[in-house]
């Protein structure tokens, strides 16, 4: 994002230089509701960032807030490690009945810790334990988290460099259309697997995002994902789908891989699973993979019971029928048409996405940052993504109204014009 330095004395004086979003949005936020935030001086901002995908149902969603307040007022368990609680039981039963069972997904549910990278770390550990092999294949421009195991399967050079030590046991392969359609899918990957002289250790697993969010809104085709699943089956590798940002309805269906008709061996879920922005993560896997010893992977905050409460409320409010999925698809089609029209008017701009995650890519990477800065001046929060920050990323709440959606797209259009 574009850095705009203004006096924020307490933060500049006391907080680490590692802070980032506040540099691009140099105001102090005070309140939030639905698709809006308000700064402490009372200015309203339309949010097309949604907590980096953690607020699919908007800020302070009233249905989820009521469930949370009732639970807290009743002195419900807040911190529970992996103890059995009524809140956890309610979540597990409803997640099974409303999400897993209707999709014929047989997964066991693991609570690995509160964040997405916890889920990825546990998925990698489990895959290696099950297969007895170390290597994991990931894809160009992937992003899977900031801890060492997750960084080893992340593509971004800047993020990887922060590790300070070698990142090993991960091998990158070309993501869908990385080679501009000039090479058949998986030709290189399959050749390396078949050639005992390739130097590629037989992988335990492959980890993939169906839509690469941080990587630039790179959308994998359903046929590519089906081909990857088949390749994994042929070569005795587990397929891990990282659905941390694209799950919970972001692409339309609850899981982003549903459109492709595949059943991954392991799925990682976080961000919007709590529905309220509370820390929560899941690692889902086929029952035959459940080889964990008790306590073999744990974490102090894996039992965030308030998050279980809001997650259960979100399942009831948004996933008891098809309405959320259908609405997201309808709004996504509207966004696509608006963005296609925008890009047709501006040389060097193109768009891509699914559901309610979209990106506008600019041939001049600096222009994307300028667009985000111009949008912020006009009251819209947007971030950039892609290896050079060349993509303006649109991530509105799934509960955004049609009027709010058009308001944001109008601001984006004006910001693009102002940046040209």
């Amino acid at each position: 994002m574009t850095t705009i330095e203004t006096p924020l004395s307490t933060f500049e004086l006391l907080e680490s230089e590692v802070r980032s979003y506040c540099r691009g949005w140099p105001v102090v936020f005070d309140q939030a509701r639905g698709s809006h935030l308000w700064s402490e001086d009372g200015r309203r901002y339309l949010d097309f960032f949604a907590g980096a995908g953690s607020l699919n149902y908007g800020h302070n969603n009233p249905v989820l807030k009521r469930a949370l307040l009732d639970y807290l007022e009743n002195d419900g368990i807040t911190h529970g490690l992996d103890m059995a609680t009524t809140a956890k039981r309610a979540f597990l039963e409803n997640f099974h009945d409303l999400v897993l069972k209707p999709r014929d997904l047989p997964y066991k549910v693991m609570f690995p810790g509160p964040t997405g990278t916890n889920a990825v770390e546990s998925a990698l550990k489990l895959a290696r334990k099950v297969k007895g092999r170390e290597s994991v294949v990931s894809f160009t421009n992937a992003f899977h988290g900031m801890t060492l195991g997750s960084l080893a399967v992340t593509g971004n050079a800047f993020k990887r460099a922060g590790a300070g030590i070698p990142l090993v046991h991960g091998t990158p392969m070309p993501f869908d259309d990385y080679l501009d359609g000039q090479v058949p899918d998986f030709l290189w990957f399959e050749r390396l697997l078949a050639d005992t002289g390739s130097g590629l250790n037989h992988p335990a697993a492959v980890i993939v995002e169906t839509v690469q969010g941080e990587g630039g809104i790179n959308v994998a085709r359903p046929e590519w994902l089906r081909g990857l699943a088949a390749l994994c089956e042929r070569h005795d590798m587990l397929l891990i789908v990282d659905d941390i940002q694209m799950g919970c309805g972001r692409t339309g269906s609850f899981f982003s891989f549903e459109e492709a008709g595949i059943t991954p061996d392991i799925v990682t879920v976080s961000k919007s699973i709590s529905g309220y922005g509370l820390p929560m993560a899941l690692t889902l896997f086929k029952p035959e993979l459940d080889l964990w010893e008790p306590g073999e992977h744990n974490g102090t905050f894996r039992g965030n019971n308030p998050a279980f409460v809001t997650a259960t409320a979100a399942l009831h409010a948004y996933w008891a029928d098809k309405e959320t999925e259908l609405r997201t698809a309808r709004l996504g089609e509207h966004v696509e048409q608006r963005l296609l029209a925008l890009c047709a008017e501006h040389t060097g701009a193109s768009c891509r996405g699914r559901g309610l995650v979209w990106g506008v890519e600019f041939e001049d990477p600096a222009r994307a940052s300028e667009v985000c800065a111009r949008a912020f001046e006009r009251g819209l929060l947007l971030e950039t993504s892609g290896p050079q920050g060349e993509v303006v990323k649109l991530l509105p709440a799934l509960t955004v109204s049609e009027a709010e959606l058009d308001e944001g797209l109008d601001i984006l259009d004006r910001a693009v014009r102002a940046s040209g």
Side-chain angles (χ1 to χ4, degrees):
M1 297 184 63
T2 298
T3 297
I4 307 172
E5 293 293 351
T6 60
L8 297 174
S9 56
T10 298
F11 306 101
E12 292 179 343
L13 180 64
L14 300 178
E15 190 179 1
S16 166
E17 292 299 319
V18 77
R19 64 190 189 279
S20 60
Y21 290 115
C22 60
R23 298 178 187 272
W25 303 325
V27 298
V28 178
F29 292 106
D30 182 49
Q31 291 183 305
R33 184 172 61 254
S35 289
H36 295 96
L37 297 97
W38 284 265
S39 61
E40 64 179 354
D41 62 3
R43 184 174 181 189
R44 179 180 68 93
Y45 292 86
L46 182 57
D47 185 6
F48 274 23
F49 173 65
S54 296
L55 296 165
N56 279 5
Y57 314 113
H59 295 269
N60 286 306
N61 183 293
V63 174
L64 312 189
K65 180 166 65 174
R66 185 68 266 161
L68 177 60
L69 291 175
D70 288 347
Y71 182 77
L72 295 176
E73 288 171 356
N74 196 42
D75 290 334
I77 300 293
T78 297
H79 181 273
L81 295 160
D82 68 355
M83 294 184 290
T85 66
T86 55
K88 183 199 284 190
R89 181 175 60 200
F91 169 75
L92 284 168
E93 290 174 348
N94 282 277
F95 188 66
H96 175 266
D97 292 345
L98 297 177
V99 175
L100 297 181
K101 186 177 179 180
R103 293 162 178 80
D104 197 26
L105 295 172
Y107 297 134
K108 297 290 288 292
V109 180
M110 175 183 178
F111 301 101
T115 70
T117 198
N118 294 128
V120 170
E121 294 284 355
S122 65
L124 299 177
K125 285 170 65 174
L126 180 60
R128 287 167 171 142
K129 178 181 176 69
V130 168
K131 292 301 182 184
R133 303 191 291 266
E134 297 176 349
S135 178
V136 173
V137 165
S138 57
F139 291 93
T140 50
N141 291 312
F143 179 82
H144 296 291
M146 296 297 288
T147 48
L148 294 182
S150 301
L151 277 176
V153 291
T154 286
N156 186 283
F158 174 71
K159 305 293 188 187
R160 290 175 61 88
I165 62 172
L167 297 171
V168 296
H169 308 307
T171 302
M173 291 291 167
F175 191 71
D176 190 14
D177 204 36
Y178 184 75
L179 299 172
D180 301 320
Q182 298 180 38
V183 176
D185 295 341
F186 311 114
L187 176 66
W188 174 242
F189 193 176
E190 192 111 45
R191 182 67 180 270
L192 290 179
L193 289 168
D195 184 359
T196 57
S198 70
L200 175 66
N201 294 330
H202 189 180
V206 175
I207 185 168
V208 67
E209 303 154 276
T210 65
V211 180
Q212 295 182 325
E214 301 306 309
I217 317 302
N218 305 312
V219 182
R221 294 167 295 140
E223 56 266 34
W224 187 86
L225 292 169
R226 288 192 290 269
L228 178 61
L231 183 148
C232 287
E233 187 172 358
R234 285 197 304 274
H235 292 278
D236 187 32
M237 302 179 297
L238 297 179
L239 176 61
I240 305 169
V241 168
D242 181 339
D243 230 9
I244 288 165
Q245 189 169 87
M246 298 303 153
C248 303
R250 176 54 56 182
T251 64
S253 54
F254 188 89
F255 295 109
S256 68
F257 56 80
E258 292 181 49
E259 181 188 18
I262 62 174
T263 302
D265 298 291
I266 304 175
V267 182
T268 60
V269 181
S270 187
K271 289 193 181 286
S272 274
I273 187 61
S274 81
Y276 204 73
L278 299 176
M280 180 177 172
L282 310 176
T283 307
L284 312 175
F285 41 82
K286 294 179 178 178
E288 62 268 25
L289 305 180
D290 195 7
L291 303 184
W292 292 114
E293 296 291 334
E296 191 174 2
H297 185 96
N298 57 26
T300 304
F301 295 101
R302 64 193 182 279
N304 186 354
N305 282 258
F308 297 155
V309 170
T310 55
T312 301
L315 293 177
H316 276 287
Y318 297 102
W319 297 102
D321 55 32
K322 288 278 190 179
E323 180 55 34
T324 297
E325 182 175 347
L326 294 173
R327 183 177 188 274
T328 299
R330 185 175 71 252
L331 294 180
E333 291 172 1
H334 179 65
V335 174
E336 181 178 21
Q337 294 307 310
R338 288 288 307 266
L339 294 183
L340 286 171
L342 183 152
C343 292
E345 293 184 22
H346 299 277
T347 304
S350 60
C351 66
R352 53 183 177 264
R354 277 180 61 194
L356 281 176
V357 53
W358 287 85
V360 179
E361 181 176 4
F362 294 92
E363 290 180 0
D364 177 8
R367 193 174 180 192
S369 294
E370 179 67 16
V371 168
C372 288
R374 298 286 187 178
F376 175 74
E377 292 171 358
R378 291 162 171 79
L380 175 66
L381 302 187
L382 294 168
E383 70 166 334
T384 61
S385 68
Q388 300 179 73
E390 72 276 21
V391 177
V392 173
K393 181 180 180 182
L394 285 71
L395 212 65
L398 306 185
T399 53
V400 67
S401 71
E402 293 184 28
E404 290 166 339
L405 193 59
D406 275 325
E407 178 189 353
L409 293 169
D410 289 344
I411 293 173
L412 172 63
D413 185 72
R414 293 195 295 272
V416 172
R417 293 178 189 278
S419 70

